[in-house]
Amino acid sequence: MFLKKKTFKFTKTYWDNIENTVELIKNADFKVIGAGSGLSASGGINYSDGELTKKWFAKYYEMGLKSILEIQSVFWELSEENVLSYWGYWSRHIQNIRYNSPVTKPYETLFKLLKDKEYFICSTNVDGQFEKAGLSKEKIFAPQGEYALFQCSKPCTQDVYNNKEMIDKMINNMGESLGIRKEDIPKCPKCGEFLVPNLRVDNTFVQQPHFINISKYEKFVREAKDKRLVLLELGVGYNTPGIIRYPFENITNHYPYSNLIRINLDCAEVPTEIDEKSVSISDDIGKVLSDILNYSGKKIE
């Protein structure tokens, strides 16, 4: 059952919260990280940013599509009629975000906070930033997909396919056009149907490869029940709250030695039932993580 009361009184100062967070992380036996789009946005991969859209997708911007979210809304569904323009956008999107973007500062800082610690990550992000930062894939449960993979649109199988070569081929042959060549359309090697990005958009999502780690994640959380557990939630809003946000609240409510640290620029509120066990910080995530790491000039040991 999800907690219903969502109000929170911000009575502590920013640095009180940072100090409290540092102590909780330092003393925790287990750390579970919940990451949403706000974490990547803090590092500059912000789908609402008009300047980023202009930089990566200038022609779409000139057409009046002023954010990546707006462009995605046009090319969200694949059909026989739009397949060339669909991949004209998505090949560039995946190349820019998954392959061309270096690791961003918030993820680098998070790696330093978690290095050599007992942790597990649950993330709805699909941009590969955790991997680029050096965090172990064996300790990440990512149920929403992965930009580096394609799947059959049907799907005829639970197989997924690494897409780097296909992405490069589409873009190299496309030039300045907004559509790919017909012969470069990615197709399933088993049934011949279109391939699509391996993202959870409907009930055709191939989730099996991403659920390999779910038993490890659940086991980690169960073993933390009677231990000092910190749930560090970063940039998780209300798009898919049932994956991280609500479960973290319920764990905090039911695990006796657990604490929730919720860092979110826009929606850092926590339920009143757990406000005594929570730290709520409404600020830029990258800045907050850096302040946690370097608090009083000392790194967390």
Side-chain angles (χ1 to χ4, degrees):
M1 181 180 294
F2 298 141
L3 303 181
K4 296 181 179 180
K5 296 180 181 179
K6 298 295 179 184
T7 58
F8 182 81
K9 296 180 179 179
F10 295 92
T11 57
K12 295 182 179 179
T13 70
Y14 174 82
W15 288 108
D16 285 338
N17 284 326
I18 294 296
E19 181 177 24
N20 193 6
T21 296
V22 168
E23 288 301 310
L24 288 173
I25 292 175
K26 180 179 179 180
N27 295 323
D29 301 308
F30 290 80
K31 302 169 184 67
V32 176
I33 314 304
S37 60
L39 178 59
S40 290
S42 175
I45 305 176
N46 186 344
Y47 289 15
S48 300
D49 184 357
E51 289 303 311
L52 183 64
T53 307
K54 188 188 299 185
K55 175 184 175 182
W56 280 350
F57 305 103
K59 289 188 177 181
Y60 298 100
Y61 190 89
E62 292 169 3
M63 293 165 56
L65 300 171
K66 303 302 184 183
S67 73
I68 294 174
L69 290 173
E70 288 184 59
I71 305 173
Q72 280 188 335
S73 70
V74 175
F75 298 106
W76 192 247
E77 295 184 0
L78 173 64
S79 67
E80 293 277 356
E81 292 72 29
N82 78 348
V83 62
L84 301 182
S85 59
Y86 173 95
W87 280 115
Y89 165 67
W90 277 102
S91 60
R92 289 187 172 100
H93 177 96
I94 293 170
Q95 186 184 68
N96 282 327
I97 293 175
R98 181 60 179 82
Y99 294 116
N100 288 353
S101 293
V103 60
T104 61
K105 186 64 180 293
Y107 285 89
E108 287 184 319
T109 306
L110 186 61
F111 173 79
K112 293 174 183 177
L113 284 168
L114 296 178
K115 188 179 180 181
D116 302 323
K117 303 295 192 302
E118 289 293 328
Y119 73 88
F120 216 101
I121 296 168
C122 179
S123 176
T124 55
N125 295 338
V126 296
D127 51 24
Q129 280 288 311
F130 286 114
E131 181 182 342
K132 292 177 184 179
L135 290 155
S136 172
K137 292 183 70 173
E138 297 300 312
K139 296 183 177 182
I140 301 171
F141 172 48
Q144 298 296 80
E146 162 63 79
Y147 276 152
L149 301 174
F150 286 165
Q151 66 164 78
C152 178
S153 58
K154 198 172 182 177
C156 68
T157 176
Q158 287 293 297
D159 290 344
V160 291
Y161 308 97
N162 293 321
N163 61 27
K164 180 69 166 62
E165 290 185 4
M166 288 181 275
I167 291 291
D168 288 345
K169 182 179 179 181
M170 283 188 273
I171 290 176
N172 290 338
N173 291 334
M174 182 167 38
E176 296 301 313
S177 172
L178 292 181
I180 67 168
R181 303 186 312 169
K182 185 176 181 180
E183 54 264 46
D184 293 335
I185 297 171
K187 294 186 177 180
C188 177
K190 295 189 175 180
C191 73
E193 292 285 342
F194 292 145
L195 290 177
V196 292
N198 178 228
L199 305 174
R200 187 184 295 277
V201 297
D202 55 29
N203 60 7
T204 63
F205 173 59
V206 174
Q207 67 177 17
Q208 183 175 314
H210 308 288
F211 274 66
I212 293 173
N213 283 350
I214 190 171
S215 60
K216 297 178 184 177
Y217 174 60
E218 292 174 341
K219 181 175 182 289
F220 188 89
V221 173
R222 286 196 305 269
E223 290 179 347
K225 184 171 184 179
D226 295 314
K227 304 292 185 179
R228 291 172 296 184
L229 167 66
V230 161
L231 299 148
L232 179 60
E233 185 189 288
L234 306 168
V236 178
Y238 291 100
N239 285 336
T240 53
I243 297 175
I244 298 171
R245 191 177 180 100
Y246 293 161
F248 273 28
E249 291 174 357
N250 280 310
I251 291 170
T252 305
N253 192 40
H254 291 102
Y255 281 29
Y257 308 110
S258 64
N259 292 95
L260 171 64
I261 300 168
R262 175 166 285 164
I263 306 172
N264 198 308
L265 189 61
D266 298 316
C267 43
E269 69 277 358
V270 298
T272 54
E273 295 95 328
I274 59 170
D275 60 2
E276 294 299 320
K277 299 177 69 180
S278 302
V279 178
S280 182
I281 304 177
S282 181
D283 211 319
D284 177 74
I285 298 168
K287 171 183 177 295
V288 175
L289 290 176
S290 181
D291 287 340
I292 293 168
L293 180 66
N294 299 299
Y295 182 69
S296 296
K298 298 179 181 179
K299 297 182 185 296
I300 296 176
E301 299 178 350

